[in-house]
């Protein structure tokens, strides 16, 4: 199975800060890497798919990227300017191979 | 409205069985891969299994942790998906989400639609 490791596990930032979450795969997932946002008590919501494609309707302060080396193992979710409504846990997920696997989550809090 | 609505969760004793339902509206489930994802209390997301779309003969695939105990079926006349869970263990306690997965012939390999989830508690 492909192991997905996110860092950090949690972070606290100010409104307006730039926030970066990383996700590392134990082996290549090519570009099959998705990001979800989950607010407390709610189902996850898709934010970004195929590494960097922003889902329609998702604010443009969210962006995704993969490492420049093209290894297909290192990925980043960036919130360019943190907003109060971004309080949530964020998960990466690989959809390259079954079993699909998720990162352990990154809890984002507001200072 | 495009949505998924799960039902059937509840309290069940270890070793027992439960069938979860997922009713879809606004789209046809037979055109999509359909997945189940679970989340234990206070924990992260875990993929449980999926059924492929009509083009791929509705083949089912499961995580190792549930293989042989869980099955997935569909009723296209009701546009619904089911998760039959047998031999339940305490570690199966979780909120179970139904999610719309990909489609054959596309690169849409992500969960773009989720239900609200249904809680399954395995305890004596």
């Amino acid at each position: 199975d492909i192991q997905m490791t996110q860092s950090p596990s949690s972070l606290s930032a100010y409104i307006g800060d730039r926030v970066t979450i990383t996700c590392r795969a134990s082996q290549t997932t090519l570009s099959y890497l998705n990001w979800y946002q989950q607010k407390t008590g709610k189902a996850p919501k898709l934010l970004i798919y195929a590494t960097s494609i922003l889902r329609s309707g998702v604010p443009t302060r969210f962006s995704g990227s993969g490492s420049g080396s093209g290894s297909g193992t290192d990925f980043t979710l960036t919130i360019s300017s943190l907003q109060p409504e971004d309080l949530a846990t964020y998960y990466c997920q690989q959809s390259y191979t079954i079993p699909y696997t998720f990162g352990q989550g990154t809890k984002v809090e507001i200072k | 409205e495009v949505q998924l609505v799960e039902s059937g969760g509840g309290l069940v004793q270890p070793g027992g069985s439960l069938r979860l339902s997922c009713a879809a509206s606004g789209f046809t489930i037979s055109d999509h891969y359909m997945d189940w994802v679970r989340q234990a209390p206070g924990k992260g997301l875990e993929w449980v299994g999926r059924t492929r779309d009509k083009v791929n003969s509705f083949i089912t695939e499961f995580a190792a942790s549930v293989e042989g105990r869980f099955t997935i079926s569909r009723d296209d006349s009701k546009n619904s998906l089911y998760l039959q869970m047998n031999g339940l263990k305490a570690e199966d306690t979780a909120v179970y989400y139904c999610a719309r997965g990909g489609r054959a012939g596309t690169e849409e390999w992500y969960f773009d639609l989720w239900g609200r989830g249904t809680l399954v508690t395995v305890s004596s």
Side-chain angles (χ1 to χ4, degrees):
Chain A
D1 298 0
I2 298 178
Q3 307 301 316
M4 308 299 293
T5 303
Q6 286 181 234
S7 62
S9 296
S10 65
L11 65 89
S12 182
Y14 291 102
I15 299 302
D17 279 356
R18 183 181 184 89
V19 169
T20 299
I21 299 169
T22 64
C23 177
R24 173 164 289 179
S26 60
Q27 61 192 79
T28 186
T29 67
L30 299 183
S31 63
Y32 295 97
L33 190 285
N34 310 309
W35 290 95
Y36 301 87
Q37 176 193 65
Q38 186 179 34
K39 297 185 177 181
T40 302
K42 301 294 186 181
K45 289 185 177 179
L46 177 68
L47 293 178
I48 288 169
Y49 61 95
T51 299
S52 60
I53 302 176
L54 190 69
R55 185 186 188 183
S56 176
V58 173
T60 56
R61 63 180 179 274
F62 291 94
S63 64
S65 63
S67 69
S69 65
S71 64
T73 59
D74 294 301
F75 304 91
T76 300
L77 173 69
T78 300
I79 308 173
S80 60
S81 178
L82 190 66
Q83 298 302 303
E85 59 267 32
D86 300 336
L87 170 70
T89 300
Y90 294 84
Y91 294 92
C92 63
Q93 176 237 343
Q94 65 83 16
S95 56
Y96 176 58
T97 187
I98 295 295
Y100 289 159
T101 45
F102 292 86
Q104 80 279 16
T106 296
K107 187 173 184 178
V108 174
E109 298 176 321
I110 311 295
K111 278 186 182 176
Chain B
E1 182 183 4
V2 178
Q3 64 176 358
L4 297 167
V5 179
E6 303 95 335
S7 60
L11 175 64
V12 60
Q13 292 189 339
S17 298
L18 206 59
R19 189 178 87 149
L20 307 183
S21 300
C22 172
S25 56
F27 72 100
T28 302
I29 64 165
S30 60
D31 293 335
H32 294 266
Y33 285 47
M34 297 296 297
D35 296 62
W36 289 94
V37 176
R38 68 184 180 183
Q39 186 170 36
K43 302 298 184 181
L45 300 168
E46 180 188 15
W47 180 79
V48 172
R50 74 177 182 184
T51 172
R52 297 190 187 187
D53 58 7
K54 179 170 51 180
V55 170
N56 288 280
S57 305
F58 301 134
I59 290 170
T60 57
E61 297 162 291
F62 295 93
S65 58
V66 306
E67 179 83 58
R69 299 188 297 124
F70 290 12
T71 58
I72 295 174
S73 61
R74 299 170 176 251
D75 183 338
D76 289 346
S77 67
K78 296 182 178 179
N79 208 29
S80 292
L81 182 73
Y82 305 98
L83 180 67
Q84 177 67 42
M85 305 184 293
N86 299 328
L88 282 161
K89 307 174 183 180
E91 52 265 40
D92 295 318
T93 294
V95 173
Y96 284 74
Y97 296 101
C98 171
R100 186 170 69 179
R103 286 190 295 172
T106 73
E107 289 296 305
E108 298 173 357
W109 302 113
Y110 44 79
F111 302 133
D112 67 338
L113 181 66
W114 296 67
R116 291 185 175 181
T118 186
L119 176 63
V120 173
T121 303
V122 184
S123 175
S124 55

